[in-house]
Amino acid sequence: MWVFYVISLPLTVGMVAATLRYFAGPAVPARVLAVVGYAWLCSLSFVVLVPTDIWTAISGNQNSDVGFFWSWSYWSTFILAWSIVPTLQGYEDSGDFTLKERLKSSIQKNMTYYAIVGSTGLFGLLLIIIMRHNWVHGILGFAMACSNTFGLVTGAFLLGFGLSEIPRNIWRNADWTHRLQFLSHKVAKMSTKLDHAHQEYCSAIYVVQATSNQMSKRDPLRPCMDIIDNMLARMLQDDALFKPSGGKLGENDMDYDTDNKTMATLRRQLRRAHEEYYRRKSDYMNCVMEALELEDTIRNYEQRGVSGWKYLSCFRENRSGSLGSFLDSTEFIWRCLLKKQLMRVLSVILGCISASILLAEATLLPSDVDLSLFSNLINAVGKQEVLVQVAAFVPLMYMCICTYYSLFRIGMMLFYSLTPGQTSSVSLLMMCSMVARYAPPISYNFLNLIHLGGNSKTTFEKRMGNIDDVVPFFGRTFNKIYPLIMVVYTLLVAGNFFEHLTDFFGSLKRFKCWTDQEDMDGLDPSGMFILQKERNSMEQGRKVSEHATPLARNFSSIGKDVESGNVPLGEPTAEMAPERTTQTKHSGNVAFKYSSVRDQSSSLKPVEQVQKGISSASINLEAGSPEEPPSASTAPESPPAETASRWASMKMGLQNFRASMGSKKFFRLSPSPSLGTNASATESLDEIFRKLKRNSSNADADHLDDDGLP
């Protein structure tokens, strides 16, 4: 038993530390890292304790050590998931300036949650009084029953979704064509989201600077404003490449200096805009890098005869020497030959494990039938300790992976975000609370799949027996009946029943999750163009996403109907309608509120003009004179003729691009004249589009009446 502990416990601690380091953002405080790390360690300890518990039950050498570790892990996850983590999550999400106010805001945000938990606890207390159970065992048993029921009811659907989707997605991703199509669409969508997050972040910076500029030094809220200014200064100093542009004021954006609460809202809004921007940037960079590496893999495989079966990458220099040649050949064999086949083999193996789990879940109710593969395997190895623990560890770990995969994928669309290197404190705490809530039910469900010989029971089953004493139905009986629903649900997911249902009822498409199957009508032209520009930028020594924002603004509107060219002349695109502040719309409100400032300045400068005056303590927004020329953010819209010529030039570029794509199975790694990449290597995207505008100024607007792209 101790041999397994010596191997598994350091492995568990290492997994927790590596996961935290991989996902946590740079601004996550130490207290959040400590709580999340401890919660994950307690949750993953179930994966270690279950095989040990099964072995002690088979060997008959049950001792108090296993019971102590069970109690420690179970009640640690219970207290963390249902009390400490929600409070800390609200505390971290609050924008207040004192410890007392942040705790108060956290409690107020969690009032509904606390009311539900308190009502459930009160109902359980009344039930215990009526049934006259032992107080200590009754309260503990009821708490375990509520937690186990919540985890089993919701976890069954999460587990069923993961059992079906993980093997299927691994098989699909082994297909290079399918994966590249998916990534091309994803890059286009990620670039648009990044551009939107960039605009929101710039607007938040603009509002902070405007509020700080209008607030006098004697204002009672000035200390709060100084804290926000210092936070903004640190944000801009941490990323010297960030260039604010396009900030704008909303209708109520000058009302943040009313009281402490509005200032806390302003601080929270700035922090969330900052986190959202860098989260989108990280997602975009990861997606672009994966797509570019996949293009390299396809190119190396199709040109293997020319390269001599060596992997040549555009992101690094060629290796030299005999060792370098050996490494290039090894990398080629792995990326171009073995990886795809191993992914398909892994998909088949995981599919078999999923089928075995479903069969075991479906035969839980009849007690005289044991069709569980894992139960028969554990009973077959008998008294061999290592084999017993390995036979229990592998399927339990797979069940946890399936559940958490579904949890993260669904939660990322609704509640939180999980991004490598940019996950915020709130998202980490939300994720760790979910992990802690589902670890015990998954373990207990797996133990129900194992039928040990005789009347042997594990320590965890004996502890969970308190549920049967207090709430009989929600004990062992419920754990055997409800998995049947999960089996039916998994079969429906595997057969794409819900996708066909949402397609049949068009009004339900808003509830449909975006999967790898969607948008698979070929390569996305705008996505492939972005990938080509990013590749050229990397070859020039620049970083990924350096020019993603202007590129997304030029393609976000074109992607609406790029195949047919049906973009109405009256509909403003990202290039046709430059960003404008709403200062004119709300100038009356601002002037009325700050009448003393109105005599000194008539308009606010854009953010990029003010950034030069940033200091380490505060950031001021300078006022411009009426004689200054209008900036890009207040420029009038383009005339119809200029708009038509610009669209015509962009459409011609896309036509040439698609024509070149029709004769290639993969995107060229070298710049292609058909894509308009023969410009100077040092030109930025803004210069390229400015040249397109100048060269096509005399184009005829009748080009818009052409048929769709060839």
Side-chain angles (χ1 to χ4, degrees):
M1 181 177 70
W2 293 109
V3 176
F4 188 73
Y5 275 140
V6 169
I7 297 176
S8 58
L9 286 180
L11 180 62
T12 304
V13 174
M15 289 176 58
V16 171
T19 306
L20 271 178
R21 184 177 181 181
Y22 181 72
F23 285 109
V28 177
R31 59 178 177 271
V32 175
L33 294 176
V35 171
V36 173
Y38 181 72
W40 284 355
L41 179 62
C42 293
S43 302
L44 291 179
S45 64
F46 283 92
V47 183
V48 179
L49 287 173
V50 167
T52 305
D53 199 3
I54 293 176
W55 165 248
T56 55
I58 293 177
S59 62
N61 297 325
Q62 292 181 337
N63 50 50
S64 58
D65 293 340
V66 177
F68 168 76
F69 284 121
W70 268 125
S71 300
W72 168 67
S73 299
Y74 183 87
W75 293 112
S76 293
T77 56
F78 184 90
I79 295 173
L80 284 169
W82 298 100
S83 61
I84 296 178
V85 172
T87 304
L88 183 59
Q89 182 182 348
Y91 177 87
E92 292 295 329
D93 191 41
S94 173
D96 292 286
F97 301 92
T98 62
L99 175 64
K100 180 180 178 181
E101 291 297 326
R102 295 183 75 175
L103 286 175
K104 183 179 178 181
S105 299
S106 175
I107 294 175
Q108 290 177 350
K109 291 178 182 178
N110 288 288
M111 283 301 296
T112 304
Y113 168 76
Y114 291 137
I116 295 175
V117 174
S119 302
T120 306
L122 180 61
F123 172 76
L125 183 62
L126 295 176
L127 184 64
I128 293 172
I129 294 175
I130 294 174
M131 301 182 68
R132 299 179 181 179
H133 280 288
N134 180 278
W135 280 86
V136 177
H137 292 286
I139 294 176
L140 295 180
F142 183 79
M144 295 170 69
C146 294
S147 177
N148 185 67
T149 303
F150 169 82
L152 186 62
V153 171
T154 57
F157 292 100
L158 298 175
L159 175 61
F161 183 81
L163 290 175
S164 171
E165 287 299 310
I166 289 181
R168 180 160 53 184
N169 285 342
I170 293 177
W171 181 272
R172 289 174 181 167
N173 293 339
D175 185 357
W176 290 339
T177 303
H178 173 275
R179 189 61 182 171
L180 186 58
Q181 290 176 356
F182 170 73
L183 290 175
S184 67
H185 288 270
K186 189 176 181 180
V187 164
K189 293 184 178 181
M190 288 293 103
S191 63
T192 304
K193 292 180 180 179
L194 175 61
D195 176 54
H196 177 72
H198 181 270
Q199 295 180 20
E200 292 295 325
Y201 185 30
C202 292
S203 297
I205 295 175
Y206 194 83
V207 171
V208 169
Q209 292 178 336
T211 305
S212 177
N213 186 71
Q214 309 301 337
M215 186 179 293
S216 66
K217 295 182 179 180
R218 298 181 180 179
D219 195 296
L221 298 177
R222 189 67 212 184
C224 298
M225 192 70 241
D226 290 339
I227 295 176
I228 301 177
D229 286 342
N230 293 335
M231 182 176 71
L232 177 58
R234 288 193 301 269
M235 290 178 178
L236 296 179
Q237 290 173 359
D238 291 340
D239 187 3
L241 298 178
F242 177 76
K243 299 178 181 179
S245 61
K248 51 187 176 182
L249 292 174
E251 183 175 0
N252 300 320
D253 282 346
M254 298 303 295
D255 297 332
Y256 286 109
D257 57 350
T258 306
D259 52 21
N260 285 330
K261 283 297 180 184
T262 56
M263 295 299 294
T265 303
L266 178 61
R267 183 187 184 190
R268 179 172 179 264
Q269 176 182 340
L270 175 63
R271 185 180 66 242
R272 297 189 70 173
H274 173 267
E275 293 173 351
E276 178 70 10
Y277 167 71
Y278 285 99
R279 181 177 73 87
R280 295 296 184 186
K281 183 178 180 181
S282 178
D283 288 337
Y284 173 82
M285 292 174 61
N286 293 334
C287 186
V288 168
M289 290 301 299
E290 182 183 356
L292 294 181
E293 289 178 357
L294 182 57
E295 286 183 345
D296 277 358
T297 301
I298 297 175
R299 177 184 63 84
N300 278 275
Y301 180 76
E302 296 195 352
Q303 299 179 3
R304 57 189 180 276
V306 179
S307 62
W309 293 68
K310 295 180 181 179
Y311 191 88
L312 304 178
S313 176
C314 295
F315 306 128
R316 58 170 173 80
E317 297 180 356
N318 295 332
R319 301 185 179 101
S320 59
S322 57
L323 179 60
S325 178
F326 173 76
L327 293 177
D328 288 339
S329 300
T330 304
E331 187 174 2
F332 176 86
I333 294 174
W334 165 248
R335 289 182 177 270
C336 300
L337 301 178
L338 291 182
K339 186 177 180 180
K340 177 192 292 189
Q341 305 303 326
L342 289 179
M343 288 179 65
R344 291 177 176 174
V345 172
L346 178 62
S347 175
V348 173
I349 294 175
L350 295 182
C352 294
I353 297 177
S354 297
S356 301
I357 293 175
L358 292 177
L359 180 62
E361 297 278 7
T363 56
L364 267 179
L365 196 56
S367 57
D368 55 342
V369 178
D370 185 10
L371 297 180
S372 173
L373 174 64
F374 316 111
S375 178
N376 293 323
L377 185 61
I378 291 175
N379 290 323
V381 296
K383 300 294 183 177
Q384 302 182 32
E385 178 182 354
V386 177
L387 294 180
V388 169
Q389 294 180 351
V390 171
F393 178 82
V394 173
L396 177 60
M397 176 62 76
Y398 180 62
M399 291 176 66
C400 293
I401 292 175
C402 291
T403 304
Y404 295 146
Y405 167 82
S406 306
L407 182 66
F408 297 158
R409 183 167 178 176
I410 296 175
M412 287 172 63
M413 295 186 298
L414 302 175
F415 307 110
Y416 51 82
S417 60
L418 187 64
T419 306
Q422 294 296 335
T423 305
S424 63
S425 301
V426 177
S427 297
L428 280 176
L429 290 168
M430 173 67 77
M431 183 175 58
C432 91
S433 66
M434 292 291 103
V435 171
R437 289 173 186 174
Y438 286 105
I442 295 173
S443 302
Y444 190 50
N445 183 28
F446 176 75
L447 286 175
N448 288 330
L449 303 180
I450 307 300
H451 303 280
L452 302 179
N455 296 324
S456 300
K457 284 188 178 181
T458 61
T459 303
F460 192 39
E461 287 178 309
K462 294 177 181 178
R463 299 293 177 90
M464 297 294 282
N466 293 330
I467 301 178
D468 293 317
D469 298 334
V470 180
V471 191
F473 176 74
F474 289 98
R476 181 173 293 275
T477 304
F478 184 75
N479 279 272
K480 289 186 176 182
I481 295 177
Y482 197 79
L484 295 175
I485 302 177
M486 184 267 288
V487 174
V488 177
Y489 170 76
T490 307
L491 295 177
L492 294 178
V493 171
N496 296 327
F497 171 78
F498 297 103
E499 294 184 4
H500 295 315
L501 186 65
T502 53
D503 291 338
F504 181 77
F505 297 98
S507 59
L508 298 177
K509 288 187 177 181
R510 67 185 66 179
F511 303 106
K512 185 177 181 180
C513 301
W514 184 42
T515 62
D516 294 0
Q517 285 185 332
E518 294 188 32
D519 297 331
M520 290 295 101
D521 54 345
L523 296 172
D524 187 282
S526 58
M528 297 304 296
F529 186 84
I530 292 174
L531 288 177
Q532 182 66 14
K533 294 303 300 179
E534 291 291 358
R535 181 181 293 277
N536 295 339
S537 178
M538 290 184 63
E539 291 175 351
Q540 298 166 13
R542 299 173 182 171
K543 295 182 179 180
V544 179
S545 78
E546 233 179 275
H547 300 296
T549 301
L551 190 60
R553 291 179 184 175
N554 284 280
F555 275 94
S556 59
S557 59
I558 298 177
K560 294 179 181 178
D561 199 2
V562 70
E563 295 293 337
S564 62
N566 295 329
V567 178
L569 277 175
E571 180 180 345
T573 64
E575 183 72 11
M576 293 156 51
E579 298 177 358
R580 298 183 300 272
T581 66
T582 55
Q583 179 182 353
T584 305
K585 179 180 179 180
H586 307 293
S587 59
N589 297 335
V590 177
F592 178 79
K593 187 172 183 179
Y594 303 105
S595 57
S596 60
V597 184
R598 181 185 55 189
D599 299 333
Q600 301 177 8
S601 60
S602 59
S603 62
L604 299 175
K605 284 186 177 181
V607 181
E608 57 267 23
Q609 295 181 5
V610 209
Q611 191 183 10
K612 299 179 181 179
I614 292 177
S615 64
S616 60
S618 61
I619 300 174
N620 295 325
L621 186 67
E622 301 293 340
S625 60
E627 291 79 14
E628 291 179 350
S631 61
S633 60
T634 58
E637 295 186 2
S638 303
E642 184 179 353
T643 299
S645 63
R646 183 179 294 117
W647 163 244
S649 63
M650 294 296 299
K651 183 181 176 184
M652 291 175 62
L654 289 175
Q655 287 176 337
N656 296 333
F657 169 75
R658 189 174 181 185
S660 64
M661 288 295 299
S663 60
K664 302 288 183 182
K665 295 183 179 179
F666 60 93
F667 197 80
R668 291 179 54 116
L669 296 178
S670 59
S672 172
S674 63
L675 290 175
T677 59
N678 54 349
S680 175
T682 60
E683 288 181 337
S684 65
L685 293 176
D686 293 332
E687 294 173 347
I688 293 176
F689 283 105
R690 198 180 300 116
K691 285 187 176 182
L692 289 174
K693 170 185 173 182
R694 183 170 60 253
N695 295 337
S696 59
S697 58
N698 298 325
D700 190 357
D702 293 336
H703 284 292
L704 292 174
D705 297 329
D706 293 343
D707 295 333
L709 296 177

